[in-house]
Amino acid sequence: MIAIGPGDVIRLFFQTTKPPKFKRCVVACLDPSPIVLLINSEVNDFVINNDDLKALQVLIDCAGHKFMRHDSWIDCSQLFGYPADWVRAAIGATPRDHLGRISDVTRRDIINCVTNTRLHSSRKKAQIIDGLTSIADDDF
């Protein structure tokens, strides 16, 4: 079984996208339950035209993340929660879907934008910040 943790980039199947499909996402935290952030290749017009949502888009560059094919955006405006066992089982079944880990710069950018938003509850913000801060001493 592959261990996953905050800051890992994984590929999961999302029923909630239209159409349902596999998406790359960042594990923001595991406790008390996993929260993942979607990675999008582009920022849509609705987000670009909304300052609050636009401020919650974090660049994930391919230069600093060899598993990325092109520069993309981590959408910190939508928080997706899944049962921990389901996420671990999904990655355990297909280990190649564990793609890598975000850089320290990207981790700090996510923490900063989540800290400064008024769109998420204090509880959700604390979960994400605590999760991503817990990897601060790890080597990237």
Side-chain angles (χ1 to χ4, degrees), residues 83-123:
D85 292 344
W86 183 86
V87 173
R88 288 186 180 101
I91 299 304
T94 50
R96 71 181 180 277
D97 287 341
H98 182 267
L99 305 174
R101 183 174 270 190
I102 58 173
S103 69
D104 194 35
V105 169
T106 302
R107 178 187 58 81
R108 282 192 308 262
D109 289 347
I110 293 171
I111 290 171
N112 287 337
C113 84
V114 168
T115 299
N116 295 317
T117 188
R118 54 191 169 103
L119 297 181
H120 299 313
S121 69
S122 296
R123 189 177 113 249

Side-chain angles (χ1 to χ4, degrees), residues 7-47:
D8 286 347
V9 176
I10 59 177
R11 189 173 163 264
L12 292 176
F13 190 79
F14 283 82
Q15 292 284 350
T16 55
T17 59
K18 292 182 185 175
K21 60 185 167 185
F22 280 96
K23 296 275 296 174
R24 291 169 184 239
C25 55
V26 175
V27 177
C29 69
L30 290 174
D31 295 315
S33 62
I35 294 175
V36 299
L37 309 170
L38 293 184
I39 297 175
N40 297 308
S41 56
E42 297 178 0
V43 179
N44 72 42
D45 289 338
F46 177 77
V47 171

